[in-house]
Amino acid sequence: MAVLAGRLARRWCFGLLRSPTQVPALGLHAGSPTMGTSQKDFNDAVSQVKLLNEDPGNEVKLELYALYKQATEGPCNVPKPGMLDFINKTKWDAWNALGSLSKEAARQKYVDLVSSLSTSSESPSPEAPAADRKPPEGNSLVVTSEDGITTIRLNRPTKKNALTTQMYHDIVAALQAASKDESTITVLTGSGDYYCSGNDLTNFTHLSAGGPEEMARSGEVLLRDFVDCLIDFPKPLVAVVNGPAVGISVTILGLFDVVYATDRATFHTPFSHLGQSPEGCSSYTFPKIMGSSKAAEMLLFGKKLTAQEACARGLVTEVFPDGTFQKEVWARLKAYSKLPPNAMRISKQIIRNQEKEKLHAVNAEESSILRERWLSDECMNAIASFLSRKAKL
Ligand SMILES: CCCCCC/C=C/C(=O)SCCNC(=O)CCNC(=O)[C@H](O)C(C)(C)COP(=O)(O)OP(=O)(O)OC[C@H]1O[C@@H](n2cnc3c(N)ncnc32)[C@H](O)[C@@H]1OP(=O)(O)O
């Protein structure tokens, strides 16, 4: 349990705590006095934590939190927070893991830990070389319009372009704008080595006052709106799959008009592994595109396809060698973008209109089923598992 708590903390729990001065947000208040020889040292250490030059990192912050609670309140005897209250549960786990450690021993460990941090932060290491530093997470979505093509680029390469809640909203807004702009073709692609790793699993940790039920309810609405927008998109919609694709970034491909992929791309829908169920209308489009047994292999068993396999199954239009992928694809799209826009729009309408109603109904049903799935133990355990790094899909 202690290991899990530590891992959870390292992965995501304290993502909100960017500055060491925010450590008190964990509950590290200089509270009631503690007895014993290290009382003053302990109080000094509590003050010192707030003055550290460098962020000690989430794992250390969690350790500090647990030791502080043990030193000031003794062994953990408060009720365990609910499974979905990830942050408080992780803090509780860390405190509880200290078992019957005495207050005095906890104070001593706290003081020793702070002292080791203070020493290391007094001698700052030279700045890391640029290649070792991760670029800042700036604009997660970049929209450009050029040569008759509006490009919506997922731009979180350090997170494999995982989709945050904000990004779903931004993609909807970008599609709405693209449907009315001067461009003839709209493209979705990714920055970096991945196309998209699907839904950002930390979306599940952002609980509002309404708790998990509210999170699931708003997730259902957002998912439905996002997919509806793809179903109704009036212009040719092209996916330029620049690398591996996971989850919802794969399922929605059935709603695109054309899908070009690098030969480095893979296509993976690990819904059962995550205790979830298909979305993006894939429960309807995949059997239609590739036949029901091939669709089941992907959607039920999470079989990962190579780009060539996805092309053979009809999910991908054409595969290009990675070395020439960008050049070849964009040259082709530029040529297509010069075709008469109204003709393309009308042709798309004829093709899609036949099943639009069906697609909207499927989307509504998939979204509603997912709302229930998100509240299931299977789903919550799988997400906690990913966040704790126990499982890599
Ligand atoms: C409105 C809501 C709609 C929801 C609809 C339902 C949607 C369902 C889905 O999309 S299900 C699919 C969800 N995605 C996943 O399960 C993928 C999870 N990620 C992985 O398995 C791996 O990260 C990987 C295989 C994509 C890449 O592995 P690797 O090459 O080893 O890289 P890292 O794991 O080190 O990843 C780098 C960095 O990115 C973070 N990250 C990657 N994917 C996600 C993700 N989906 N959610 C959150 N974070 C992700 C990863 O944690 C690393 O972060 P770090 O650098 O450690 O801070």
Side-chain angles (χ1 to χ4, degrees):
M1 205 49 167
V3 174
L4 176 60
R7 283 178 178 168
L8 277 169
R10 186 173 61 250
R11 297 292 308 153
W12 51 269
C13 172
F14 295 116
L16 297 173
L17 301 174
R18 298 277 176 234
S19 141
T21 56
Q22 286 175 284
V23 169
L26 295 170
L28 293 175
H29 310 292
S32 54
T34 46
M35 303 298 291
T37 51
S38 59
Q39 170 66 61
K40 182 174 179 313
D41 289 347
F42 179 70
N43 286 345
D44 288 349
V46 171
S47 310
Q48 238 177 311
V49 164
K50 299 170 196 164
L51 302 174
L52 290 174
N53 291 329
E54 287 171 20
D55 188 326
N58 292 337
E59 198 157 4
V60 173
K61 284 178 189 167
L62 190 70
E63 206 177 334
L64 284 169
Y65 167 79
L67 288 170
Y68 179 90
K69 295 292 276 184
Q70 191 86 3
T72 55
E73 296 179 32
C76 176
N77 61 3
V78 297
K80 185 174 184 169
M83 191 173 177
L84 294 169
D85 190 354
F86 290 109
I87 293 180
N88 286 320
K89 184 173 163 296
T90 301
K91 287 159 67 181
W92 186 94
D93 284 340
W95 181 12
N96 190 50
L98 294 179
S100 57
L101 185 75
S102 71
K103 282 186 173 183
E104 192 164 49
R107 276 203 304 271
Q108 189 58 56
K109 278 174 177 275
Y110 185 97
V111 169
D112 291 346
L113 180 56
V114 173
S115 157
S116 71
L117 296 173
S118 307
T119 313
S120 61
S121 72
E122 273 159 19
S123 48
S125 54
E127 208 180 355
D132 293 348
R133 267 180 273 138
K134 286 184 176 176
E137 290 288 340
N139 295 337
S140 299
L141 202 70
V142 177
V143 185
T144 50
S145 225
E146 206 183 337
D147 293 323
I149 304 171
T150 290
T151 303
I152 303 171
R153 185 179 296 276
L154 309 174
N155 191 40
R156 287 182 84 208
T158 57
K159 300 288 178 191
K160 310 294 183 193
N161 298 324
L163 295 167
T164 60
T165 301
Q166 186 59 45
M167 285 165 79
Y168 290 104
H169 286 291
D170 291 346
I171 294 170
V172 168
L175 286 171
Q176 282 167 347
S179 70
K180 296 186 206 106
D181 70 14
E182 295 292 297
S183 66
T184 52
I185 292 179
T186 301
V187 169
L188 184 67
T189 191
S191 296
D193 61 341
Y194 255 67
Y195 173 64
C196 175
S197 61
N199 189 40
D200 188 314
L201 296 174
T202 66
N203 288 343
F204 292 101
T205 65
H206 306 143
L207 289 185
S208 64
E213 286 76 16
E214 171 56 25
M215 177 202 70
R217 195 200 60 79
S218 60
E220 177 190 357
V221 173
L222 181 56
L223 174 62
R224 205 178 50 230
D225 289 352
F226 173 72
V227 175
D228 274 347
C229 193
L230 292 166
I231 295 170
D232 291 331
F233 193 70
K235 298 179 181 179
L237 187 58
V238 179
V240 172
V241 184
N242 57 295
V246 186
I248 191 166
S249 72
V250 177
T251 57
I252 58 173
L253 292 176
L255 300 172
F256 281 65
D257 300 295
V258 165
V259 178
Y260 292 140
T262 159
D263 58 10
R264 226 173 27 78
T266 52
F267 298 83
H268 188 198
T269 50
F271 299 126
S272 299
H273 299 70
L274 291 167
Q276 297 186 36
S277 50
E279 22 61 358
C281 293
S282 58
S283 63
Y284 171 73
T285 58
F286 277 27
K288 199 173 151 219
I289 291 168
M290 60 186 82
S292 56
S293 74
K294 297 280 187 203
E297 207 183 12
M298 284 190 82
L299 298 175
L300 270 55
F301 300 145
K303 181 181 163 71
K304 190 192 282 187
L305 302 189
T306 63
Q308 294 296 358
E309 286 168 337
C311 192
R313 291 186 182 191
L315 186 62
V316 165
T317 313
E318 191 169 335
V319 180
F320 297 79
D322 196 52
T324 53
F325 176 62
Q326 298 288 346
K327 197 169 157 228
E328 285 194 62
V329 162
W330 290 106
R332 194 177 299 188
L333 289 174
K334 270 180 202 166
Y336 289 161
S337 72
K338 299 199 170 44
L339 292 168
N342 290 334
M344 289 197 285
R345 191 189 271 259
I346 287 164
S347 298
K348 172 160 180 167
Q349 237 175 48
I350 299 170
I351 298 168
R352 291 279 162 182
N353 274 1
Q354 301 178 32
E355 56 179 8
K356 251 191 191 176
E357 215 176 298
K358 172 78 182 168
L359 289 170
H360 283 300
V362 169
N363 180 30
E365 194 192 1
E366 288 177 345
S367 303
S368 153
I369 290 170
L370 256 179
R371 172 183 179 169
E372 287 166 24
R373 284 276 87 213
W374 287 327
L375 297 173
S376 70
D377 283 355
E378 284 183 349
C379 177
M380 284 307 147
N381 287 335
I383 287 161
S385 189
F386 169 77
L387 296 171
S388 70
R389 223 41 179 175
K390 278 201 306 199
K392 185 75 77 71
L393 298 165

